[in-house]
Amino acid sequence: MIRIRVPATSANLGAGFDSLGLAVNLYNVIDMEEYDGVSICSTDGTWVPTTKENLIYQSAERLFLECGKPFSGLRIVQQNNIPMTRGLGSSSACIVGGLVGANTLLGNPLSLDDLVNLASDIEGHPDNTTPALLGGIVTAVLEGKRVYWVKQAVHNALRLVAVIPDFKLSTELARKALPEQVSHLDARYNLSRAALFSASLLQGKYENIRIAVEDKLHQPYRMKLIDHADEVFSQAYAQNAYGVYISGAGPTLMAIVDGADDRFAPQLREYLGTLSLDGWKIEELVIDNDGTTVHNVEGTDNREVL
Ligand code: HSE
């Protein structure tokens, strides 16, 4: 039995629609072994598909098929800490977990680049799957079926405060809300900001972040799908956040704040209380630089497989 640990991810980072993403220290854990049939369960009470429709299972099976290896089934035990359909990369975690698990079980026939490409092919865009695999902050461009990527580890004291609504928003719906075409002006607005984001984060120019997360390609359209998003944005900036953006396709809203700011999350929680949003959750996170790791269940670290 092997154990795969996959981080949650936060994609887009405002202006970097479908191209920027980072991993955070909130993890799903998947135990996996080859098995004659399908045995799937979750240890945390979360409902998961227990048939061949399960995304971890399907992704693992796809890797076996890609490698031309016979596939008889899997035993999978899931521990889900990443909230589902909230814009924190829960689907990507399933895809990446399934692929990395299957690759490990087969003795690692696929390279890291192969895994990046295959994960993106299953998911449809690379900005969640790639940081889930690699950790850090990732710039990823999908050209045909190949992902051109750069991962940069982030060593700073920033805190990421995720405000997680008590409702789901499917990526499909959130993508349907986007226009078919945008103006040249809007495209230029985003290009310059997406380019500014990673460099500012990595070089500690945090005063740039507020401008860098501004976006005209998706957030204005998606804000309408997320009740109270405007208020949370305003409150986060009133509490001196460096930047706030919709995480992935939403509905989670992510604030980037000073690492020493212990008051930010409790104050925001209090504010949510004044709006009677008691079912919303707040997670205080940091960037994960490790990406997906593999261990055997006895605890031997197999990290070198990645
Ligand atoms: N870039 C994607 C989107 C992330 O915003 O739709 C969700 O997978």
Side-chain angles (χ1 to χ4, degrees):
M1 184 78 108
I2 54 169
R3 174 163 292 170
I4 307 116
R5 191 187 78 159
V6 194
T9 49
S10 181
N12 299 327
L13 310 178
F17 180 64
D18 276 1
S19 58
L20 290 181
L22 51 78
V24 291
N25 65 334
L26 178 67
Y27 304 96
N28 278 0
V29 179
I30 302 160
D31 291 347
M32 184 187 284
E33 65 184 356
E34 289 193 71
Y35 180 71
D36 206 5
V38 186
S39 167
I40 302 173
C41 66
S42 98
T43 55
D44 56 300
T46 313
W47 180 85
V48 297
T50 54
T51 64
K52 292 178 178 175
E53 304 306 305
N54 180 287
L55 191 52
I56 299 171
Y57 186 95
Q58 283 188 337
S59 304
E61 182 174 21
R62 169 84 182 266
L63 188 137
F64 272 73
L65 295 179
E66 292 279 335
C67 295
K69 300 287 184 191
F71 180 75
S72 61
L74 288 173
R75 187 198 303 275
I76 292 171
V77 180
Q78 297 181 224
Q79 185 192 316
N80 303 289
N81 298 310
I82 307 172
M84 291 190 193
T85 330
R86 297 296 204 285
L88 288 167
S90 60
S91 304
S92 290
C94 291
I95 293 167
V96 166
L99 292 179
V100 170
N103 202 41
T104 306
L105 292 174
L106 289 176
N108 297 304
L110 295 194
S111 68
L112 187 53
D113 273 318
D114 293 335
L115 292 172
V116 166
N117 292 336
L118 191 50
S120 167
D121 191 47
I122 296 171
E123 168 70 12
H125 14 85
D127 51 336
N128 274 322
T129 47
T130 317
L133 257 169
L134 306 172
I137 178 168
V138 170
T139 309
V141 172
L142 182 59
E143 176 66 34
K145 292 216 160 204
R146 179 170 166 192
V147 180
Y148 294 79
W149 57 267
V150 176
K151 168 214 169 162
Q152 288 162 294
V154 183
H155 300 286
N156 63 28
L158 289 181
R159 219 175 266 221
L160 295 170
V161 178
V163 182
I164 309 169
D166 58 1
F167 55 87
K168 298 182 177 184
L169 176 55
S170 78
T171 300
E172 196 188 349
L173 194 73
R175 290 183 87 85
K176 274 195 185 138
L178 308 183
E180 286 285 318
Q181 310 229 329
V182 296
S183 71
H184 195 275
L185 204 62
D186 286 355
R188 193 167 68 213
Y189 183 96
N190 267 63
L191 274 177
S192 53
R193 282 163 177 75
L196 188 68
F197 187 92
S198 310
S200 299
L201 191 75
L202 290 159
Q203 296 201 2
K205 292 203 73 160
Y206 304 139
E207 71 276 16
N208 288 349
I209 289 178
R210 183 161 186 169
I211 295 299
V213 294
E214 293 290 329
D215 152 79
K216 294 208 176 193
L217 298 188
H218 69 111
Q219 294 191 150
Y221 308 99
R222 289 173 166 176
M223 291 294 272
K224 297 171 194 151
L225 305 175
I226 307 169
D227 279 347
H228 303 291
D230 280 326
E231 291 140 287
V232 172
F233 268 54
S234 302
Q235 177 66 19
Y237 280 125
Q239 289 182 213
N240 295 321
Y242 288 123
V244 195
Y245 63 90
I246 298 176
S247 181
T252 291
L253 310 172
M254 191 71 90
I256 303 173
V257 309
D258 195 284
D261 190 349
D262 292 331
R263 290 294 306 143
F264 188 92
Q267 272 174 8
L268 200 53
R269 195 170 283 120
E270 242 171 67
Y271 177 72
L272 294 181
T274 66
L275 298 177
S276 304
L277 301 177
D278 301 312
W280 290 35
K281 291 207 173 91
I282 291 190
E283 290 274 1
E284 288 188 85
L285 304 165
V286 293
I287 293 176
D288 162 282
N289 285 315
D290 294 335
T292 297
T293 54
V294 184
H295 314 260
N296 71 29
V297 170
E298 286 72 46
T300 307
D301 195 345
N302 286 332
R303 177 73 183 102
E304 69 274 13
V305 298
L306 280 180

